[in-house]
Amino acid sequence: MNLDEVVTEVAERLSASVVLVDRAFSLIAYSTQSPGVDKDRVQSILARSCPPDARAWYESFGIADTTRPVVTPENPDIEASARICLPARYAGTAYGYLFVLPDESSNVTERDLTAAMSLAGQAGAELAHTSRGRDHMAVAVADLLEGDRKAFARALPRIEDSGLFPDGCALTVLAVDGLLPAPGTRTLLAPIGSLTAVLVPAAAGAVDPVRSIAESGAGAGSLVGVGGSTQGLRSARRSWQQAKIAVRVARHDNSIGPIAYWEELGIYRLSSCGPAGLLAEAVLTPSVRALLDHRNIDLLVTAQTYLDQAGDTGATAGVLGIHRQTLYYRLAKIEEITGLDLSVGAQRLELHVGLTLGRFIFEHLRTEETRSGAET
């Protein structure tokens, strides 16, 4: 009996809706027993279970150690309804949990729960075997994407043996910052730093697996960077680097995301063209730095908005909610500080690139410096 069949069987026995998660609280399978609980509702239920405080709430009932069903009460603080947790255990370890949400009309008995626990044990055995294989494959994926030459050479045949990526097949790599409901069997995942890397092979059909996985992560409250499509595993690292840049852009620019596609990043793609320090030096010209160093937030916002509106003063004044005379005063002040003539296209471009891309790169450098300081 596979995991979907286990979930369906438990749902039918208990007249309940059932969600199966692994021990990291990632969605594995869900039932369709209750007509009122559709996929979006299930993902909503799961997303409310996965933040650290919510996960701690469930684990405080000893679900990782018990061999019996556990009833968890309603908790408005984490927007969780009352439910029954059936630990999916194997060889003394909980590899996942079946969360049961009984229908209002259902009457779950001790006998029902005993039978359900037997099914939970079957799920635990299946999760244990897939978990071990997944752990080994996660190491291979991490080595493929960020390992040195020897690690890459070891990882390549191991991933090729999975059969998911035939020689030269198209694939895309995603970088997920946050929760990712289990995307299915035709993907490979690996935690890398604070992100989760997801290798997705191209698939023929009406459903785009890349978009589906990205939307699933975004629906759970995560930021998702999607690298460009590439041919073959040997080029996967390029797509991964693009996906990482995309998720950084989504963090930096609220107008992009929660899903950021490499192909749609525009000028931000230039940040992949060389070391961040050199790029910052190139785009943060003395004129741009003069405005940034002036630290007048009104002038910075005005400059960015004016340039984003292609120099349209009427549109800029409307977006900012200010009188045109106020806008003209600010633009004159910006020209005075920077020494640029905003009526000249090349000089407008210098400031636009510096404010848009330069601040993004500078923010990244500052984050890296903070991280390095914390590690030392």
Side-chain angles (χ1 to χ4, degrees):
M1 187 178 292
N2 63 33
L3 294 174
D4 286 325
E5 291 169 340
V6 168
V7 169
T8 299
E9 180 71 16
V10 172
E12 291 176 351
R13 281 178 177 267
L14 302 184
S15 297
S17 298
V18 178
V19 177
L20 173 63
V21 300
D22 63 17
R23 57 187 169 189
F25 280 61
S26 294
L27 177 64
I28 300 297
Y30 60 92
S31 72
T32 54
Q33 177 69 14
S34 253
V37 182
D38 59 15
K39 184 175 181 180
D40 290 339
R41 172 61 176 154
V42 170
Q43 290 182 345
S44 175
I45 291 167
L46 178 68
R48 291 171 182 161
S49 306
C50 288
D53 56 341
R55 181 173 174 177
W57 157 258
Y58 289 113
E59 291 178 338
S60 70
F61 291 92
I63 62 174
D65 302 314
T66 186
T67 58
R68 296 182 54 78
V70 175
V71 177
T72 61
E74 181 181 4
N75 185 342
D77 291 339
I78 60 172
E79 302 181 64
S81 59
R83 63 195 70 181
I84 303 168
C85 176
L86 308 176
R89 301 179 67 82
Y90 177 74
T93 300
Y95 284 90
Y97 307 99
L98 285 158
F99 282 102
V100 180
L101 293 85
D103 297 340
E104 291 182 3
S105 59
S106 63
N107 181 25
V108 179
T109 66
E110 283 294 326
R111 184 176 179 180
D112 294 330
L113 289 177
T114 299
M117 279 301 297
S118 176
L119 290 165
Q122 294 182 45
E126 180 68 21
L127 287 171
H129 292 303
T130 57
S131 175
R132 289 166 186 167
R134 190 166 57 242
D135 289 345
H136 288 301
M137 193 58 73
V139 173
V141 171
D143 285 344
L144 179 82
L145 298 179
E146 296 215 342
D148 58 22
R149 186 174 300 179
K150 289 183 178 179
F152 177 87
R154 290 194 305 267
L156 194 59
R158 191 182 306 173
I159 296 176
E160 288 173 339
D161 289 345
S162 72
L164 292 176
F165 302 90
D167 186 33
C169 86
L171 63 92
T172 301
V173 185
L174 287 71
V176 181
D177 183 3
L179 172 70
L180 177 66
T185 56
R186 292 194 58 78
T187 58
L188 294 179
L189 286 75
I192 301 179
S194 62
L195 303 174
T196 297
V198 189
L199 269 67
V200 187
V207 178
D208 178 357
V210 171
R211 183 172 295 277
S212 177
I213 293 168
E215 290 176 349
S216 177
S222 301
L223 296 177
V224 183
V226 182
S229 177
T230 189
Q231 295 294 127
L233 289 168
R234 292 182 179 277
S235 300
R237 189 170 295 204
R238 182 188 308 122
S239 183
W240 167 240
Q241 296 301 323
Q242 293 168 351
K244 288 198 297 181
I245 290 172
V247 86
R248 287 208 324 262
V249 171
R251 289 195 206 110
H252 169 78
D253 189 336
N254 292 332
S255 69
I256 298 175
I259 303 172
Y261 290 89
W262 168 255
E263 287 87 351
E264 300 173 3
L265 292 186
I267 197 169
Y268 287 113
R269 290 172 54 151
L270 288 176
S271 62
S272 69
C273 294
L278 292 180
L279 285 170
E281 186 177 324
V283 300
L284 292 174
T285 64
S287 295
V288 176
R289 285 186 179 275
L291 184 58
L292 292 174
D293 291 342
H294 196 267
R295 298 181 183 277
N296 185 316
I297 190 64
D298 287 338
L299 294 182
L300 281 172
V301 171
T302 298
Q304 187 75 61
T305 305
Y306 174 74
L307 295 165
D308 288 345
Q309 296 297 320
D312 185 327
T313 54
T316 303
V319 170
L320 294 174
I322 59 176
H323 194 276
R324 284 204 189 195
Q325 289 302 320
T326 302
L327 174 61
Y328 295 144
Y329 169 78
R330 291 183 185 179
L331 292 177
K333 190 67 176 176
I334 290 166
E335 289 183 325
E336 177 187 331
I337 293 168
T338 62
L340 298 174
D341 183 347
L342 295 182
S343 67
V344 178
Q347 296 186 34
R348 285 199 308 273
L349 180 62
E350 176 186 338
L351 186 58
H352 203 183
V353 171
L355 292 180
T356 303
L357 183 59
R359 285 194 293 172
F360 168 65
I361 296 172
F362 182 73
E363 181 181 284
H364 173 61
L365 288 171
R366 187 168 53 188
T367 301
E368 291 299 306
E369 289 172 359
T370 301
R371 183 179 297 126
S372 298
E375 289 175 353
T376 55

